[in-house]
Amino acid sequence: MKVDVILGLQWGDEGKGKIVDVFTPLYDVIARFQGGPNAGHTIEFDGMKFILHTIPSGIFHRDSVNVIGNGVIIDPYILMKEVDELHQARITPEENLLISRRAHLILPTHRVLDAAYESAKGSAKIGSTLKGIGPSYTDKYARCGLRIGNIGESGFQDRYNKLKTIHLSLAKNYSLDISLHKIDGFSFEEYEEKWFEAITRMKDFRLIDSEIFLNRSLDEGKSVLAEGAQGTLLDIDFGSYPFVTSSSTSSGGVCSGLGISPHRIGTIWGVFKAYCTRVGSGPFPTELNDSTGELMRSRGHEYGSTTGRPRRCGWLDLPALNYSILINGIDKLIMMKADVLNPFENIRVCTGYKIGDLVTDNFPFNLSGSNLQPVYQDFKGWNDIPDVQVSFADLPQYFSEYIGFIEKNTGLPVEIISVGPDRTQTLRR
Ligand code: GDP
Ligand code: IMO
Ligand code: MG
């Protein structure tokens, strides 16, 4: 058996969580391979809505096994908050959630450092979710991080204290006054206490060597779905650096983030919105700072699932989409939120960029140059799309033309179209 993959092709929030939930009945195991609680994955069914940050989006199907892989970083406090929210809905992740011993911890001081670094950047700030992502991955690569498997070891507290001291002195150098600093509304000491309480609760979960578990599951003929977080344009190597996150969000990250050989990767699904959004700073060539962008935001409820910040909105960007397809080796496409564009009379797609006197459909190294102008093709609006399964041949003509144009210009089939946030509002070819 192989590992199929679901990835975001834009700047995150494409709707990966919904699609993973929809696909879960087809798989035995769902595994997150990178990122941390900067992610916010929304799942809606039976009139309920959940936002997951660390737990894989297969958790609502009791028969599925959900794995937090070695490439993920975990804030135990945020994880336990998520667990408590699931308990309220009578879902008990203790039964079907497995956590890699190799996953790194986000310490309270990683969150402090995230805030210190962002504030020092001033107007050049990345717009981080302030969940401690950059500093935690920095310690991983500096080979001084703490891992889930270290919890309960005799030297754990000592190693924690040493790191904390280093982090606090760094924060002080950045003029951050820890006595005034708040994390999620708590003082540092209050947050640290809650963090240690959550560390104690980790023993309620099965902490495993997930790379062995996943490879053995595949050997036994079980099917595995890898769930991406963030999007390709936020990838540490291929995103709009430095306005990116600190992990490999693209298909290459699946192998290192789960301990899976490239030979074992199966179908790679790419998820994209019928338009584009971005939360946080950084270049966004097709951004609309006008009433059209506002209409997208209000119809699409484009506010961050993790931070509540308004998402920046704009037209679909084909050169960017094709770049993401190339980097990931995408096999099939999934278009999300087509319903959001229903009332638009004119719909635009960016087909290239005018840079100086040249027009190119290549995705350039520097996206932010002031002389970079998107080139658009216009499409007629489609007014309405059915939100129950219909044959693709029966979709409104102008909508079919939009899909056909994307398929022709990406060379890939759009196999699934999402037309609402609920599980059931999903059209399959
Ligand atoms: P993720 O991070 O990729 O999982 O995406 P988010 O959950 O952060 O953001 C996607 C948002 O769009 C959520 O609020 C979803 O409930 C919602 N959503 C997903 N698919 C659709 C869709 O087809 N139509 C509409 N209107 N909303 C959708
Ligand atoms: P999901 O999985 C959208 C953005 C932040 C910021 C940049 C760096 O829900 O798609 P970080 O906290 O990682 O240091 O922030 O990346 N960002 C996301 N944007 N969706 C996400 O995750 C994101 N995770 C991080 O807004 O611009
Ligand atoms: Mg999200």
Side-chain angles (χ1 to χ4, degrees):
M1 290 299 278
K2 300 225 163 181
V3 181
D4 292 341
V5 182
I6 294 203
L7 297 171
L9 299 183
Q10 294 160 322
W11 281 283
D13 302 328
E14 295 88 352
K16 301 172 291 292
K18 165 178 167 166
I19 290 301
V20 170
D21 171 70
V22 166
F23 274 33
T24 297
L26 305 172
Y27 292 87
D28 298 303
V29 181
I30 314 298
R32 268 276 304 266
F33 61 92
Q34 47 68 232
N38 47 349
H41 295 176
T42 314
I43 292 109
E44 290 194 34
F45 57 94
D46 299 343
M48 294 183 289
K49 174 174 170 173
F50 297 90
I51 300 177
L52 297 172
H53 302 287
T54 318
I55 297 175
S57 301
I59 200 73
F60 303 101
H61 297 265
R62 282 167 206 266
D63 295 341
S64 69
V65 174
N66 290 266
V67 175
I68 300 178
N70 57 280
V72 176
I73 54 176
I74 299 175
D75 182 327
Y77 168 71
I78 296 179
L79 175 61
M80 290 311 153
K81 239 174 91 176
E82 239 173 291
V83 166
D84 290 339
E85 277 163 26
L86 292 177
H87 283 171
Q88 277 171 21
R90 295 175 188 281
I91 294 156
T92 42
E94 290 83 346
E95 285 165 20
N96 60 341
L97 178 66
L98 308 176
I99 304 173
S100 169
R101 289 196 179 97
R102 287 180 159 72
H104 277 246
L105 285 165
I106 302 174
L107 272 51
T109 42
H110 285 137
R111 294 199 60 181
V112 172
L113 284 178
D114 214 355
Y117 295 156
E118 275 287 80
S119 120
K121 286 196 169 91
S123 62
K125 74 173 196 269
I126 290 163
S128 159
T129 59
L130 302 179
K131 303 295 176 195
I133 304 299
S136 173
Y137 275 120
T138 301
D139 277 352
K140 170 174 174 171
Y141 286 96
R143 296 163 294 175
C144 58
L146 279 168
R147 299 190 287 177
I148 291 291
N150 298 128
I151 297 173
E153 285 180 352
S154 57
F156 182 74
Q157 188 67 47
D158 262 7
R159 288 180 65 190
Y160 173 88
N161 289 340
K162 277 191 187 127
L163 267 177
K164 175 180 160 182
T165 306
I166 295 167
H167 292 160
L168 287 181
S169 90
L170 271 171
K172 204 169 162 199
N173 286 344
Y174 276 82
S175 311
L176 184 141
D177 183 346
I178 195 68
S179 67
L180 300 176
H181 188 69
K182 297 265 187 244
I183 309 177
D184 291 354
F186 299 113
S187 71
F188 177 76
E189 287 76 18
E190 285 167 338
Y191 194 84
E192 191 182 38
E193 195 182 328
K194 288 176 186 301
W195 190 87
F196 273 106
E197 282 165 16
I199 284 274
T200 319
R201 286 181 61 191
M202 294 296 293
K203 67 175 178 336
D204 298 339
F205 289 84
R206 274 175 288 165
L207 312 180
I208 61 158
D209 297 325
S210 58
E211 65 285 11
I212 308 272
F213 172 81
L214 289 167
N215 280 292
R216 290 217 175 120
S217 298
L218 292 166
D219 292 343
E220 287 162 12
K222 299 214 168 95
S223 52
V224 177
L225 180 66
E227 172 178 4
Q230 289 79 56
T232 306
L233 303 177
L234 289 172
D235 182 277
I236 184 72
D237 283 280
F238 304 108
S240 42
Y241 193 89
F243 302 101
V244 294
T245 190
S246 299
S247 63
S248 296
T249 60
S250 46
S251 54
V254 179
C255 295
S256 58
L258 294 178
I260 295 287
S261 157
H263 294 300
R264 300 200 102 154
I265 301 293
T267 303
I268 308 179
W269 293 86
V271 184
F272 70 104
K273 278 178 190 167
Y275 49 100
C276 257
T277 63
R278 171 162 209 173
V279 60
S281 329
F284 181 179
T286 61
E287 181 170 13
L288 292 164
N289 290 306
D290 59 10
S291 56
T292 310
E294 274 161 34
L295 186 60
M296 283 178 187
R297 186 174 308 116
S298 63
R299 282 194 50 83
H301 305 289
E302 297 294 359
Y303 294 88
S305 315
T306 297
T307 58
R309 292 176 292 175
R311 294 176 184 150
R312 300 154 66 194
C313 297
W315 298 118
L316 183 66
D317 184 333
L318 269 182
L321 189 67
N322 276 322
Y323 181 74
S324 297
I325 289 170
L326 174 100
I327 294 299
N328 294 307
I330 296 295
D331 295 304
K332 294 174 180 180
L333 293 170
I334 302 176
M335 186 204 264
M336 308 300 290
K337 304 191 89 157
D339 57 300
V340 172
L341 298 185
N342 282 353
F344 288 65
E345 275 175 27
N346 185 49
I347 290 164
R348 310 193 92 183
V349 176
C350 166
T351 54
Y353 309 118
K354 190 164 183 290
I355 305 174
D357 292 334
L358 291 173
V359 174
T360 175
D361 56 7
N362 287 333
F363 190 66
F365 172 74
N366 184 1
L367 255 194
S368 53
S370 58
N371 64 347
L372 183 148
Q373 292 300 327
V375 177
Y376 289 109
Q377 180 149 337
D378 289 309
F379 291 82
K380 286 206 176 84
W382 47 76
N383 292 321
D384 208 7
I385 320 173
D387 76 347
V388 289
Q389 182 66 51
V390 288
S391 149
F392 272 30
D394 294 332
L395 288 170
Q397 182 197 338
Y398 293 142
F399 182 60
S400 297
E401 284 176 12
Y402 189 70
I403 297 286
F405 182 80
I406 292 166
E407 291 187 322
K408 182 162 172 259
N409 286 276
T410 56
L412 292 176
V414 176
E415 289 283 329
I416 293 171
I417 299 167
S418 174
V419 289
D422 192 85
R423 240 182 217 172
T424 56
Q425 294 169 305
T426 314
L427 315 181
R428 296 155 202 249
R429 190 178 284 281

